Amino acid sequence: MSDRPSIRPDMAAAPVEGPLAREALALAAFDHVVSRASGFRPREGQRQMAAFIASTLSGVRLGDESVSGDAALPDRGIAVVQAGTGVGKSAAYAATVIPLALAQGRRVVISTATVALQEQLIHKDLPALAALLPQPFAFALAKGRGRYVCRLKLDQLSGGDPAHADLFGTEDGLSQATADTWQERGRQYQQWSQALDQGDWDGDRDRLDDPPDPALWGPVAAERHTCTARHCPAYNSCSYYQARQRLAQAQVIVVNHDLLLSTLGLHALPAPQDCYLVLDEAHHLGPIAQGQFTAQVDLMRTSWLDRLPRAFDEVASAISHHPADDVAVRARELKAAMGELARLAMARVGGMPGWGERRPDAPPAVDRFEGGVLPAGWDEVVGTMAAHATALLKVAESLATQLKALAREEPSEASRCAQLYSRIGGFAPRLQHAQETADLWLQTAADGQPPLAKWLEAGVHHGLVTLTAHACPLQPGHLLRSHLWRHVRGAVVTSASLTTCGGFEHFLHESGLAWDEAVATCQVQSPFDHARQGRLVVVQTRADPKDVDGYTREMLDALMADLQQVRRGALVLFTSRAQMAQARLLLERGEHRDLRDAVLVQGDASRTALLRRHAQRVADGEVSILFGLQSFGEGLDLPGELCEWVFITKLPFASPADPVGQARADWLRSQGRDPFSELVVPATGARLLQWTGRALRSETDEAVVVCYDGRLLRQSYGRRMLQGLPPYRLQRRSGGVTTDV
């Protein structure tokens, strides 16, 4: 039993006034939990993290958001904590923040980037904490609306009648499915409907025995634009709203970053100023925010606009409503504008080098508008597109308002109104995509401000040309500061890889927390003895990595030789699919064929299936080697013999073809700044920290990390990246000789 002060059973329920009292309560709660946890071994770093969180949040006042929106008030607190692998960060924040919130009658939202961490919290960490805290609390997992079935759609489509597809504005490809396909889908929908009726399924997509194909799930998925909420006749049995009710009763809600950001202002989750917010895996925050505020529209598949006038007219006639605009003309003009924009875009894309020789499986060609400036004459077409999309959205909103009013005033009409609402709602997202993309394309940057990134993507899919228009702001930090942080009162922001090149600066800028006076940073070291448990071997190749062909040949020869040393589990991380494909070809040759059966390649099966097979092989005493790309460089937990070697084929720089990265680099250069030093090196350093972190997962592990990119030692930017890595025993290998550095 620990001699640290424990939380009294009545402490959590008592009013807690003043920073010192709140700090004491939070830290006492943590000590109470760890002293009673079965098999727990005290960790200095974990308590350091808990104490830092308790101190930082002690002065926070929730629910008192400043009218001015000032982000530097003294009663805000944001604890930014880098917690090295093995610290036990989830216990450190959960056992302090949750008791603090309960004592004040407040709630906690824990946001993560990966499903794996959500499952760990919901199935392991939070149940264990609930069993140890004297004050009970309920917790729940929040999911997006699209993870739940819409009972109204399911009932309509379970008959397998393709005529019903148009009721909900389904995607073009779905409405063109064969009669046999619809009959098959109808049988599956009937099975799901029966499972709902019998209580064998709760409507959650993730609770189905077999994950459904998107083409099967999409037509029956719940959507905000096709939902009349409490006006729907299926509201009382709605899977999504039943889940919402469970969330309303929970003191702790687990969510992912995408859903957190996409629902800001929609009241789907507690308001940021009224709860404690924990952002785990927070190094993903900037990229996810960038994606959330990216707009795009398909310029090729526009046949939905041919169906829109009839759908709107039938809905309007059904409720005796007369739109103030000519829907047929607007739809025809919008389709014409999108067609003209597609013609201009294809004329431009067609002039790109190699477009005519593109392979069907090649990634889309990207054509970026430098400085965010559209070609001469394009503004008029884009403006026309924006005007007509906006007008049609207003008609849709007017119809939706009338339908809701009718359902409210005439309950007997609720079922019919819900079906009509779903029909017009199916068109709303596509109209919004057209409007938002066009509006962003028309924006110009103010003096001294970065322009928007604007680009086209064109390719060939199943023999058909694809063409999409895209736009997004360049600074994720600014977006997060405007939409999230100015509302947040108390937060914990944590990850094992917030620092890069030895500091927090890059993360704070990318996440919108730079210059926020409420931010306090802390770096908690991993309990692992990296110098004893692990080695980082940097190989000096004769070929420079910029010589792609020469370097790849030399690197792969060295990799094949090194793989011969593997006795149990290993992970090889590649920076491109082409590189991984070349390695796979080498395994087919006679001199390397003995390794072929030991290798499991990302993409050959699901991630879960590959990892299960890998674990079984190692447990059976066999050699098992995983080949993977970026997604395998993060989030894989392969302790002990499952990963005794990590091979990094090249420094993980981002793709130079990324249009947003290119636009950001151009703008920094226009300001006399160095994008390579400011953006590329820190981002690559953060990625490298994640990749090397696959090696040691416990205090008893021993592993070797081999990096074949000699720039890590040879170049000054490589040495900057090294500053951000754990203190492995560092070695250089040159000409087959390995020496300590």
Side-chain angles (χ1 to χ4, degrees):
M1 185 73 72
S2 170
D3 58 359
R4 296 173 184 158
S6 63
I7 187 171
R8 300 192 314 271
D10 63 335
M11 183 182 294
V16 183
E17 298 294 340
L20 292 178
R22 287 194 286 269
E23 181 178 359
L25 179 143
L27 197 53
F30 171 80
D31 289 337
H32 170 90
V33 168
V34 300
S35 67
R36 286 161 173 77
S38 176
F40 180 81
R41 184 164 49 83
R43 307 181 200 180
E44 180 181 348
Q46 189 179 57
R47 194 172 195 279
Q48 177 191 352
M49 180 175 175
F52 178 76
I53 291 170
S55 174
T56 304
L57 300 185
S58 63
V60 167
R61 294 171 56 201
L62 297 180
D64 295 324
E65 185 177 20
S66 168
V67 174
S68 66
D70 187 358
L73 297 175
D75 51 1
R76 295 174 66 242
I78 300 174
V80 178
V81 187
Q82 165 141 323
T85 305
V87 165
K89 55 183 168 57
S90 59
Y93 62 65
T96 50
V97 178
I98 292 174
L100 186 60
L102 294 176
Q104 300 172 72
R106 298 291 185 174
R107 303 166 81 190
V108 178
V109 173
I110 303 176
S111 184
T112 79
T114 64
V115 172
L117 182 52
Q118 290 174 28
E119 290 179 344
Q120 175 187 318
L121 288 165
I122 288 292
H123 299 300
K124 180 183 175 185
D125 295 346
L126 292 177
L129 181 63
L132 293 169
L133 281 179
Q135 184 173 356
F137 67 90
F139 53 89
L141 176 63
K143 299 182 181 182
R145 193 189 300 253
R147 308 300 289 185
Y148 296 94
V149 74
C150 170
R151 187 60 193 263
L152 191 68
K153 294 180 182 180
L154 186 66
D155 289 344
Q156 285 290 330
L157 296 176
S158 60
D161 184 355
H164 286 139
D166 196 46
L167 288 175
F168 305 105
T170 54
E171 292 294 333
D172 297 342
L174 296 177
S175 61
Q176 295 169 3
T178 66
D180 287 345
T181 301
W182 274 111
Q183 290 293 333
E184 183 179 340
R185 290 178 183 175
R187 286 191 291 272
Q188 180 62 73
Y189 294 151
Q190 285 177 347
Q191 291 177 16
W192 290 348
S193 183
Q194 290 170 3
L196 279 173
D197 291 338
Q198 296 167 3
D200 297 330
W201 180 47
D202 63 359
D204 183 339
R205 180 184 188 276
D206 300 321
R207 294 183 184 274
L208 292 169
D209 292 336
D210 298 310
D213 185 272
L216 177 66
W217 179 257
V220 296
E223 298 176 278
R224 181 166 63 90
H225 295 285
T226 60
C227 178
T228 56
R230 57 179 50 86
H231 303 304
C232 177
Y235 176 76
N236 290 332
S237 60
C238 176
S239 302
Y240 171 68
Y241 280 101
Q242 287 176 346
R244 284 281 299 270
Q245 290 171 8
R246 291 192 292 272
L247 288 183
Q249 297 166 1
Q251 287 81 37
V252 180
I253 297 173
V254 178
V255 67
N256 65 45
H257 298 337
D258 270 308
L259 186 60
L260 174 73
L261 296 178
S262 66
T263 56
L264 288 173
L266 297 180
H267 309 294
L269 296 169
Q273 62 268 27
D274 292 330
C275 68
Y276 287 101
L277 178 63
V278 177
L279 293 163
D280 203 340
E281 300 177 317
H283 58 285
H284 286 285
L285 203 53
I288 289 175
Q290 194 93 61
Q292 281 288 336
F293 294 96
T294 296
Q296 70 177 68
V297 63
D298 187 333
L299 295 176
M300 285 300 194
R301 294 199 305 168
T302 58
S303 62
W304 57 274
L305 282 165
D306 297 329
R307 301 195 306 273
L308 184 147
R310 178 184 171 188
F312 278 34
D313 181 61
E314 291 180 353
V315 171
S317 298
I319 59 174
S320 301
H321 177 73
H322 302 287
D325 218 328
D326 190 325
V327 172
V329 171
R330 288 289 190 181
R332 186 168 60 250
E333 293 296 324
L334 175 56
K335 184 177 180 180
M338 294 175 71
E340 176 61 12
L341 186 58
R343 186 190 66 78
L344 294 170
M346 287 308 302
R348 179 182 168 98
V349 170
M352 296 176 64
W355 170 254
E357 293 81 37
R358 294 183 63 78
R359 301 188 318 273
D361 59 342
V366 177
D367 185 16
R368 182 176 62 88
F369 302 107
E370 291 192 15
V373 178
L374 298 180
W378 286 39
D379 281 4
E380 183 178 351
V381 178
V382 177
T384 300
M385 176 175 153
H388 292 305
T390 300
L392 287 170
L393 274 172
K394 288 181 179 178
V395 174
E397 290 166 1
S398 174
L399 287 170
T401 300
Q402 293 292 324
L403 286 166
K404 285 186 176 181
L406 179 59
R408 182 172 58 253
E409 295 164 5
E410 300 286 345
S412 62
E413 292 288 311
S415 179
R416 187 170 71 99
C417 288
Q419 291 181 14
L420 294 171
Y421 188 95
S422 295
R423 190 168 185 190
I424 60 168
F427 294 97
R430 283 175 274 192
L431 289 170
Q432 284 188 340
H433 294 159
Q435 179 202 44
E436 291 169 358
T437 307
D439 284 346
L440 288 178
W441 269 34
L442 292 171
Q443 285 186 23
T444 56
D447 290 342
Q449 295 299 311
L452 277 75
K454 304 171 188 177
W455 72 97
L456 297 162
E457 291 187 12
V460 178
H461 184 65
H462 295 317
L464 299 175
V465 173
T466 62
L467 178 66
T468 49
H470 305 252
C472 77
L474 290 187
Q475 296 180 308
H478 176 74
L479 297 170
L480 287 165
R481 190 160 54 248
S482 300
H483 295 275
L484 177 66
W485 296 122
R486 73 184 185 92
H487 302 291
V488 169
R489 312 295 298 156
V492 176
V493 181
T494 187
S495 169
S497 53
L498 296 185
T499 63
T500 181
C501 304
F504 284 97
E505 291 80 6
H506 178 71
F507 169 75
L508 294 177
H509 279 89
E510 292 296 291
S511 62
L513 290 172
W515 306 296
D516 189 329
E517 294 182 9
V519 169
T521 61
C522 176
Q523 188 167 358
V524 180
Q525 299 299 328
S526 167
F528 302 165
D529 185 349
H530 286 85
R532 179 187 61 80
Q533 294 177 247
R535 291 187 292 137
L536 171 57
V537 181
V538 182
V539 179
Q540 300 295 318
T541 57
R542 293 183 299 277
D544 189 284
K546 293 181 180 178
D547 172 11
V548 176
D549 292 338
Y551 172 79
T552 300
R553 283 194 299 271
E554 186 177 351
M555 177 274 295
L556 290 178
D557 285 344
L559 172 64
M560 294 299 153
D562 288 338
L563 291 180
Q564 298 289 345
Q565 302 180 60
V566 176
R567 295 293 174 265
R568 286 292 181 270
L571 173 64
V572 184
L573 294 169
F574 297 90
T575 56
S576 72
R577 289 190 182 278
Q579 198 183 58
M580 187 165 71
Q582 286 180 263
R584 193 170 194 173
L585 282 175
L586 278 180
L587 295 175
E588 302 298 325
R589 296 181 181 176
E591 63 268 32
H592 303 301
R593 196 163 292 173
D594 58 322
L595 290 170
R596 182 180 58 186
D597 293 338
V599 172
L600 299 169
V601 182
Q602 181 180 358
D604 283 357
S606 70
R607 175 169 163 146
T608 301
L610 285 177
L611 295 180
R612 187 185 302 118
R613 176 66 176 136
H614 177 73
Q616 186 60 55
R617 284 179 170 182
V618 173
D620 292 342
E622 301 175 21
V623 174
S624 187
I625 302 166
L626 290 165
F627 277 15
L629 299 165
Q630 165 63 31
S631 61
F632 271 41
E634 179 176 354
L636 285 189
D637 189 16
L638 301 171
E641 292 185 331
L642 291 177
C643 188
E644 296 179 333
W645 294 82
V646 175
F647 300 99
I648 298 173
T649 58
K650 203 172 186 179
L651 289 177
F653 289 105
S655 168
D658 171 34
V660 179
Q662 289 178 340
R664 295 186 73 184
D666 284 353
W667 183 72
L668 287 176
R669 277 191 289 267
S670 74
Q671 304 297 303
R673 295 157 65 182
D674 180 3
F676 186 75
S677 180
E678 284 193 41
L679 293 178
V680 176
V681 172
T684 307
R687 221 170 284 122
L688 186 63
L689 176 58
Q690 283 288 337
W691 285 25
T692 59
R694 299 313 97 208
L696 299 180
R697 307 303 297 171
S698 76
E699 293 174 63
T700 59
D701 286 357
E702 293 186 3
V704 180
V705 179
V706 180
C707 177
Y708 295 97
D709 197 328
R711 293 174 294 183
L712 192 58
L713 283 176
R714 194 169 61 246
Q715 299 288 353
S716 59
Y717 62 77
R719 294 192 292 274
R720 276 182 64 195
M721 295 179 198
L722 275 175
Q723 292 176 6
L725 299 183
Y728 297 102
R729 178 185 173 188
L730 184 59
Q731 296 182 317
R732 175 191 285 109
R733 192 168 84 198
S734 180
V737 178
T738 302
T739 57
D740 287 333
V741 176

